[in-house]
Amino acid sequence: QNISSKMQIALLICGVLFALLAYSVYEPMPDYVLDRGFLTLGHSVWRIFDAVGDLTEYFCICESEVVRRQVFSLILPPPKNTSRVLFTYEQFADSRTLVARPLKPSGAALIYIHGGGWAVGSPEMFSETYEELADKTGITVFAVRYRLAPEQPFPAAFDDCLSATLAIFDAAKSLGLDAGRIAIAGDSAGGQLTASIVQQLRRSGSPHRPKLHLMVYPVTQVVNLRTGSMLQHTNAPILKAEHMPRYVSLYLAGSAVAARWIAENGHVTPAVRAAYETATGQTLPAAAAVEAASAGIRDSVASRVASLATDWRVSPLLATDLDQLDLPPAHILACQFDPLFDDAIMYANRLQRAGVRTRLIKYRTYHGRCRFLGTD
């Protein structure tokens, strides 16, 4: 009876702790979320890992994104070969690229750049999509791996993806591919890298011209983090508006030190404001006058973030020579309940003004839910 009483007390304590944990990680889903039960469960589990990451960051062990990467590596199953699609890892420049080859290749290829705020994610994230795409279309998919922030801040991701892209184009003939039928695609931060890389291929006079470029809910600028969609969808699933300043800080500053300052548009100097308004034709919302020094940010870091914010390798929307590049056709998929929705719309409009054949498709869903083969 004594043991039973202790067991009952232990179970009661465990029940209370579990209830407190569930309450702390529970997050109500917006009305537009259809798969609410699954997403709520996923969010709850993810917030537990976020809490672990926050602890490691608090005790100066590592940034929380490093913990997220470890979680990804544990929960993501390795790509599986099928009777119709073969997965291999191959080296292109400095990228250990995941390649999905169909049984009956068509000679066309897709270079894919994953998202994750330049700080998390991996080529394996969408292996099932690569398999489906290769199987249904005969396209060979090259999912590029690149170095991640904060350990490797800008320009590491851009340089890795550009080098891998050039290497794949250079090897097209030996790979049995038609170099004139290679497209480039990416989602979220990978969409930004896609846009910037395609611009660079044209800007540099490279002989390699992608057949088209596809951007899935892309980041297209890091100057205005108070766009209408950022303010409207602050609590959207998967990607929240508050995440973006942190990702930008990790990528441009190499740590989260500038996140709050960026969130308050402290990085928007008069020159940055002018570049944004010239490119978009929109007036940038008034920013809080936040001095870098008062925010605990070194002048060198503040100067770096402000100068890179308008760099086309980070903000392709703000490229000053867009109408001179003769870019290949662009396809942009945007999610209407996404903080990055306005980024996609602004870039589509800018491309159209530059005379680029542009197709914009809007889905009534949230960030991370839309795929380039359609919606789940």
Side-chain angles (χ1 to χ4, degrees), residues 117-118 153-159 188-200 203 215 218-225 244-245 247-253 262 267 272 276 304-320 340 343 347:
W118 311 281
F154 176 87
F158 174 82
D159 288 347
S188 196
Q192 175 272 307
L193 290 165
T194 295
S196 295
I197 286 166
V198 171
Q199 286 188 19
Q200 173 59 9
R203 189 176 283 112
M215 293 146 283
V219 181
T220 63
Q221 55 83 35
V222 299
V223 170
N224 184 10
L225 301 183
M244 283 306 301
Y247 285 142
V248 172
S249 180
L250 291 171
Y251 188 43
L252 301 187
I262 292 171
H267 64 307
V272 170
Y276 178 88
R304 172 181 166 84
V305 171
S307 64
L308 290 178
T310 58
D311 191 310
W312 55 266
R313 294 172 295 173
V314 176
S315 296
L317 173 68
L318 306 187
T320 58
L340 296 178
D343 273 45
Y347 196 56

Side-chain angles (χ1 to χ4, degrees), residues 263-279:
E264 295 173 343
N265 278 2
H267 64 307
V268 180
T269 63
V272 170
R273 177 181 293 274
Y276 178 88
E277 294 181 350
T278 298

Side-chain angles (χ1 to χ4, degrees), residues 128-270:
E128 292 183 358
T129 300
Y130 310 149
E131 178 191 337
E132 184 179 358
L133 183 64
D135 183 24
K136 288 185 175 180
T137 67
I139 289 176
T140 301
V141 181
F142 297 84
V144 174
R145 190 183 310 277
Y146 56 89
R147 289 172 291 170
L148 299 171
E151 299 95 326
Q152 300 290 336
F154 176 87
F158 174 82
D159 288 347
D160 288 355
C161 293
L162 177 61
S163 297
T165 296
L166 290 171
I168 292 167
F169 268 101
D170 288 340
K173 186 175 181 179
S174 64
L175 294 170
L177 302 174
D178 179 352
R181 299 174 63 202
I182 299 178
I184 305 179
D187 66 285
S188 196
Q192 175 272 307
L193 290 165
T194 295
S196 295
I197 286 166
V198 171
Q199 286 188 19
Q200 173 59 9
L201 292 177
R202 305 302 300 150
R203 189 176 283 112
S204 66
S206 168
H208 304 311
R209 178 184 176 85
K211 181 72 174 178
L212 60 85
H213 58 313
L214 167 64
M215 293 146 283
V216 183
Y217 39 78
V219 181
T220 63
Q221 55 83 35
V222 299
V223 170
N224 184 10
L225 301 183
R226 296 179 176 180
T227 62
S229 58
M230 284 278 186
L231 297 176
Q232 184 178 0
H233 304 299
T234 54
N235 292 316
I238 311 297
L239 178 70
K240 300 185 183 304
E242 66 185 29
H243 294 159
M244 283 306 301
R246 178 180 176 88
Y247 285 142
V248 172
S249 180
L250 291 171
Y251 188 43
L252 301 187
S255 75
V257 65
R260 183 171 297 180
W261 178 68
I262 292 171
E264 295 173 343
N265 278 2
H267 64 307
V268 180
T269 63

Side-chain angles (χ1 to χ4, degrees), residues 27-40:
E27 181 177 330
M29 293 291 110
D31 292 339
Y32 54 78
V33 175
L34 300 180
D35 52 345
R36 193 166 303 174
F38 177 79
L39 190 62
T40 298

Side-chain angles (χ1 to χ4, degrees), residues 2-17:
N2 199 19
I3 295 177
S4 178
S5 297
K6 289 181 179 179
M7 284 290 291
Q8 289 178 359
I9 294 172
L11 288 172
L12 178 61
I13 292 173
C14 288
V16 171
L17 291 175

